[in-house]
Amino acid sequence: MTDSLKDVYDVVIRRNPGEPEFHQAVQEVFDSLAPVMRKHPEYVDVMTRMCEPERQIIFRVPWTDDNGKVQINRGFRVEFNSALGPYKGGLRFHPSVNLSIVKFLGFEQIFKNSLTGLPIGGGKGGSDFDPKGRSDLEIMRFCQSFMTELYRHIGEYTDVPAGDIGVGGREIGYLFGQYKRITNRYESGVLTGKGLAWGGSQVRPEATGYGAVFFVDNMLKAKGESFEGKKVLVSGSGNVATYAIEKVHQLGGTVIGCSDSSGYVIDEKGIDLDILKEVKEVRRARLSEYVDLRGNGTKLGTDGSLWNVPADIALPCATQNELNEDDAEALVKNGCQIVGEGANMPTTPEAIKVLQGAGVGFAPGKAANAGGVATSALEMQQNASRDSWSFEYTEERLSDIMSSVHDQCVQTAEEYNEPGNLIAGANIAGFVKVADAMLALGVI
Ligand code: NDP
């Protein structure tokens, strides 16, 4: 970090106390930007502005549970940066959600969205609501209450939320229904991740997982290799993980392990997606039920870590800081060649050092998981033109976007004398585009 950036960083720490995830995300970007700041000192002031969200909204979400008891949650929407387009980023419903987590996600989203090359700014939101164990009607009442406040802050030209952890097609449906009812407008472009019959896009559910695998496939191709015959670990078993597993299998690799917050499974013959979807999407149950249904030598690991299992490629697709230094050492020891982040910031800074030090190819989430938001932007395009594209065409667009994100990261890393460092490439390429737009728009 340069001295001037260190000064900005100190201000960020002072003005945002008690927000460790946000500090971590800012530090990771600042650590990459020294060569840019030396070349363009005018960007330092821009960075100071970029660290301050344009708008932060925190609100009460009251709702009634099935026993008639009033429950209170906290809702968040952080509209971080709109230099390139309307704020864009998901909503997360999870008990761990707080301002620090929403700000780290929103900050990362600025650079990720810039890398897609599409006209979208950065934002993020959510609630500390825990959907686990809640009935369908409770989920609906919560979503309706959440939207009753959020609707006044969003719009297709203003801020376009989507899903994230705990927010899938069901929740987007209830949120969109309430928005439509309150505003009396069928404004499809206000939310993405919608169902196909009501303004959604083909490939959006698959996009983040598929996109992460396309990104890693580009890394493999650059080395003259492919997924064919590779053993792969995928953490999580939610939206991103499920479709990462599907694409790895389509490209000839075998996913031999996946996880949820209760533990992990090892299935050397390859994770059976039909069974996984039945357990996680239909029954909304623990992974142990996968082992019961699949049998066939499948094992449940409840202690230790998925990352201790020997494999060629690791795709962390669950949550932030889920792959630590010990995990990284285990991956290196077992000969892992590539770690590609499907989740946001799943690898701790210490683990990244271990992986990079050992020459493991590392794809940072803000580049590797950009396929989700990119396809959301394609959904917005279809909504704006009242059109709907085929699966094949949309997947081809996604694949092209991921190749372009990969190439930008590689070329930018080379341009700034960091060959092979895709973290530097992603941060610098994402930053420069937003910084130039902010300079052009004046001090606002
Ligand atoms: P989901 O809620 O669909 O799935 C999350 C999965 O991670 C669940 O299987 C959950 O298990 C598991 N999990 C949570 N914590 C842990 C843990 N500590 N160890 C192992 N597994 C864990 O979320 P998504 O798939 O949508 O999101 C996953 C990640 O990808 C997040 O970081 C998100 O921000 C990021 N992302 C998502 C995008 C999207 O389009 N959905 C776009 C870009 C990034 P359980 O079932 O037990 O809760």
Side-chain angles (χ1 to χ4, degrees), residues 79 201 228 237 251 311 351 385:
E79 298 180 333
S201 172
E228 199 64 49
S237 46
L251 295 182
S385 57

Side-chain angles (χ1 to χ4, degrees), residues 319-361:
T319 194
Q320 64 273 3
N321 293 327
E322 52 154 316
L323 196 163
N324 64 27
E325 196 173 2
D326 291 345
D327 299 327
E329 276 162 6
L331 287 170
V332 169
K333 189 174 116 241
N334 289 326
C336 177
Q337 297 168 27
I338 292 179
V339 173
E341 295 188 321
N344 284 313
M345 212 167 74
T347 318
T348 64
E350 298 76 23
I352 292 174
K353 259 192 209 125
V354 171
L355 296 170
Q356 288 190 321
V360 175

Side-chain angles (χ1 to χ4, degrees), residues 59 61 91 142-152 154 161 172 174-180 182 190-191:
F59 51 98
V61 190
L91 297 171
F142 174 80
C143 289
Q144 290 178 339
S145 180
F146 186 86
M147 184 52 85
T148 300
E149 173 62 31
L150 187 70
Y151 89 95
R152 67 190 88 239
I154 61 176
I172 294 291
Y174 295 144
L175 292 164
F176 183 63
Q178 184 73 349
Y179 182 86
K180 185 173 85 63
I182 295 174
V190 71
L191 285 171

Side-chain angles (χ1 to χ4, degrees), residues 203 206-218 243-244 247 342 367-372 375 398-399 402-403:
V203 195
E206 294 85 355
T208 309
Y210 276 22
V213 175
F214 285 144
F215 191 97
V216 171
D217 196 38
N218 275 278
Y243 292 103
K247 187 50 77 182
N369 72 31
T375 309
L398 168 65
S399 167
M402 294 317 295
S403 296

